[in-house]
Each structure stands twice: as structure tokens, then as C-alpha cells.
Amino acid sequence: MLVENSFADRVFFCNSGAEANEAAIKLARRYMNINSGTTKNTVISMDNSFHGRTMATLSATGQKKVKTGYNPLLEGFKFVPYNDLTGLEQAMDETICAVLLEPIQGEGGVVCPDPDYLKGVRNICDEHNCLLIFDEVQVGMGRTGKLFAYEHHGVQPDIMTLAKALGNGLPIGAMLSVEELAQAFGPGSHATTFGGTPLVTAVSLAVLRSLIEDGWIEHCRKVGIYFKDALNKLKQKYNFIKEVRGMGLILGMEIDRPCAPIVEACMEKGFLINCAHENVLRFLPPLIVTKDEIDMLINAIDEVFTDMTIT
Ligand SMILES: Cc1ncc(COP(=O)(O)O)c(C=O)c1O
């Protein structure tokens, strides 16, 4: 069903987002190793990206704070700024085998791609015979108002990774790829004991069916618009709010100060929100969130913000 509804021909199942990205990096390297020589093995990743906490995915992550203390990290990763096609073009050389990026940077502070950025990245990858990997661990499975975030941009990756909402709470990850690449993983070249077991894949299939057939993706889109409008209304009220960004049910509010105290105050009122990149309040509600629940959250944030401006 993942194949029927995506660019991909094949799926490798594993147990987490990090494992899915680990598999993606290995597949890209192995494919290029077989087809273009052993020196074409470097992965370009983005500043402020997050791809997981295994050694390879940590090495591919562009955030110092999660990498500190784990040296030596793996070789063969290079970083460029997000939304910077010139920087990417300049970083390209014959050693680059893949570009790995999130179609919206989640942990990096809900950073959205500029309108033609992903198309530009696709073109650069094609010109330099390198693969494009989208990490949709956080934004895939309906969260942006389409099943996969790449669908908003008219571009397709060669490899995509999924996890989180794919199992609706059960541990499952997936790496999807086109057939030509999948051939590079022959029997025994990559595997994991619990990958694709009947229980988790049955749950995942039910989740995917429900997302597609019960209208949850459209729900995410509509409720996301409602949520973003409500956050923008707060922006008009409080001048310390710099920007509201995101789409569907991945939204961020950048403020001009650290947001940890706000997260704490909201928790006291019964709402779990998150602080990404120090000064971005990140909202990733369950995909079934209702407009009434969003109203309750907005009222709580409004109260917290009012208290902040009074004290
Ligand atoms: C974009 C992205 N990639 C990978 C991961 C790692 O996923 P997991 O925690 O399932 O290993 C995360 C987790 O937050 C993520 O947001």
C-alpha cells in the first residue's frame, strides 16, 4: 500500500526513524559503490537537520548539541545551509553520492523549503549523478495535509524514510526506494530481526488505510489551516512573536526569546508543546486533533503570553 501511494517500488521495514535513515544511507552508498565506484560515497546533509541517534544518522545530523560527546563520528558527511541552492551546488563534487534532507526541518525549528527549493535540489542531484533522499520520518503520513510532504512540491526523491505516525505508537520504520536502487541490497546485505513482523505491519497497514480512506489527511489539512490562523492571530496580539510557519499539523512559532519557560507554563495547564531550536514553539498534535482542542490550546497559550507581558 505504501508503494501504491508513493513514488517507490520497494519498501524495507525496520523499527525506527533512525534505522530507516541508516538503511537509506547504506543503500545510497552501496548503489553508488556498485555502479559508480567506491569513492562516490559522501552524503550531503543540511545544517540544523535531524536524522536520528545511531552513529551514521548522528553523523548525518546538522546539530552540534545532539552530536557532542560522541566523537569520532563517521566520515563521509558534508553540511550545507537549508534553502541555499548555491551552497549546495558549490558543495557538489565527484565524491557526493546522495543529498539527504527533511522536506520540512522539524527539530531544526519547523523550517519550510522555499517554493522552488526542492525542485532545485532535485535538478542539482540529477546533474551530478547523485541520489535524493527525503527524510519524512516527522512530516510523512498525512501530517502536512498530503500523505507525503514531497507531494506539495512536484518532486520525487529516489529514497524516502518513514516512521513515527507509520505505526501510530508501535515501533516501525520504513525505507522506500525505486526498483533500480533496491537491487543494490541483495540477500543478506542489510537486515534486522524485527523488521516487518506481522503484528506491526498489520497495524501499520490499518493506520495507512484509515489515513487514506477515512479522510484523516484532509482533516489534517483543514484543521492545520484553522490552527495556523489562530497562531497568526496571536502574532497580531504579541509583538515578541516573530513568525508563524509550517503546514498542516506541523507548525512552528518563532519568538524573540527562549521558549523553555513557555513550554513549562503550558505543561502546567495540561498541554504538551515542544521547544525546537531554542526559540521556536513547535506544535505537532495528534492527527485526530479537533478544532475545539486547538481552541483550548490557543486559550492556554494566550493566558501564558499575557502573564509573560504583565510580569
Ligand atoms: C526527521 C527525523 N528523522 C529521524 C528521526 C529519528 O527517528 P526515531 O526517533 O524513530 O529513531 C526523527 C525523530 O525525531 C526525526 O524527526
Side-chain angles (χ1 to χ4, degrees):
M1 199 165 182
L2 283 172
V3 164
E4 277 163 27
N5 289 285
S6 74
F7 71 95
D9 304 307
R10 301 280 286 272
V11 184
F12 168 79
F13 287 110
C14 51
N15 308 288
S16 68
E19 271 188 42
N21 284 328
E22 189 87 19
I25 293 163
K26 284 181 74 177
L27 181 64
R29 281 199 176 157
R30 193 169 163 97
Y31 173 81
M32 284 302 182
N33 199 293
I34 294 166
N35 293 286
S36 300
T38 53
T39 53
K40 199 168 172 64
N41 56 27
T42 298
V43 174
I44 292 186
S45 175
M46 302 295 141
D47 291 343
N48 296 322
S49 58
F50 183 79
H51 297 295
R53 294 174 190 275
T54 61
M55 286 311 275
T57 56
L58 204 55
S59 305
T61 288
Q63 294 191 45
K64 212 171 164 193
K65 67 171 194 234
V66 290
K67 299 164 84 155
T68 303
Y70 297 110
N71 280 340
L73 296 175
L74 300 193
E75 290 174 14
F77 294 91
K78 226 173 163 177
F79 295 88
V80 299
Y82 198 77
N83 272 332
D84 178 0
L85 290 173
T86 312
L88 179 63
E89 181 70 62
Q90 282 166 356
M92 281 289 167
D93 60 37
E94 67 287 354
T95 69
I96 306 301
C97 75
V99 173
L100 166 63
L101 58 77
E102 299 155 84
I104 295 177
Q105 286 192 327
E107 304 291 314
V110 190
V111 179
C112 297
D114 292 339
D116 279 328
Y117 175 62
L118 296 182
K119 261 192 192 147
V121 174
R122 176 75 268 181
N123 290 339
I124 292 173
C125 286
D126 292 345
E127 279 162 24
H128 292 270
N129 176 33
C130 97
L131 302 171
L132 178 57
I133 307 171
F134 284 159
D135 175 347
E136 294 226 11
V137 167
Q138 189 162 134
V139 295
M141 303 303 290
R143 182 162 291 281
T144 63
K146 291 203 184 275
L147 184 57
F148 304 117
Y150 74 80
E151 295 173 43
H152 293 282
H153 300 277
V155 268
Q156 293 191 340
D158 302 297
I159 300 175
M160 174 173 72
T161 54
L162 299 171
K164 295 197 191 285
L166 180 62
N168 223 14
L170 279 193
I172 182 168
M175 181 206 46
L176 290 73
S177 88
V178 294
E179 181 66 38
E180 188 188 344
L181 297 186
Q183 296 298 334
F185 269 175
S189 52
H190 187 68
T192 174
T193 302
F194 291 122
T197 49
L199 173 64
V200 280
T201 47
V203 169
S204 199
L205 184 60
V207 170
L208 192 53
R209 272 209 184 111
S210 180
L211 273 181
I212 294 171
E213 291 167 13
D214 301 336
W216 290 114
I217 299 175
E218 182 57 9
H219 172 85
C220 289
R221 193 187 66 79
K222 280 195 190 144
V223 177
I225 291 170
Y226 181 82
F227 195 177
K228 196 172 181 182
D229 282 351
L231 292 173
N232 270 318
K233 282 191 189 120
L234 289 178
K235 180 171 177 273
Q236 282 161 15
K237 194 167 164 188
Y238 299 100
N239 60 11
F240 57 82
I241 301 175
K242 290 168 74 180
E243 193 182 18
V244 172
R245 50 185 188 245
M247 64 198 311
L249 291 175
I250 172 163
L251 296 171
M253 177 187 266
E254 184 175 340
I255 56 177
D256 69 1
R257 60 199 72 186
C259 49
I262 298 169
V263 170
E264 214 163 286
C266 286
M267 194 157 16
E268 275 167 28
K269 290 179 183 291
F271 293 93
L272 283 177
I273 56 175
N274 175 265
C275 175
H277 219 239
E278 309 272 307
N279 63 339
V280 180
L281 292 166
R282 185 181 50 165
F283 304 96
L284 287 165
L287 307 187
I288 55 167
V289 72
T290 63
K291 287 184 179 174
D292 285 348
E293 286 163 341
I294 286 166
D295 289 343
M296 284 157 65
L297 170 71
I298 294 290
N299 287 337
I301 298 176
D302 200 2
E303 281 171 18
V304 170
F305 284 176
T306 305
D307 288 350
M308 270 168 53
T309 40
I310 292 168
T311 52

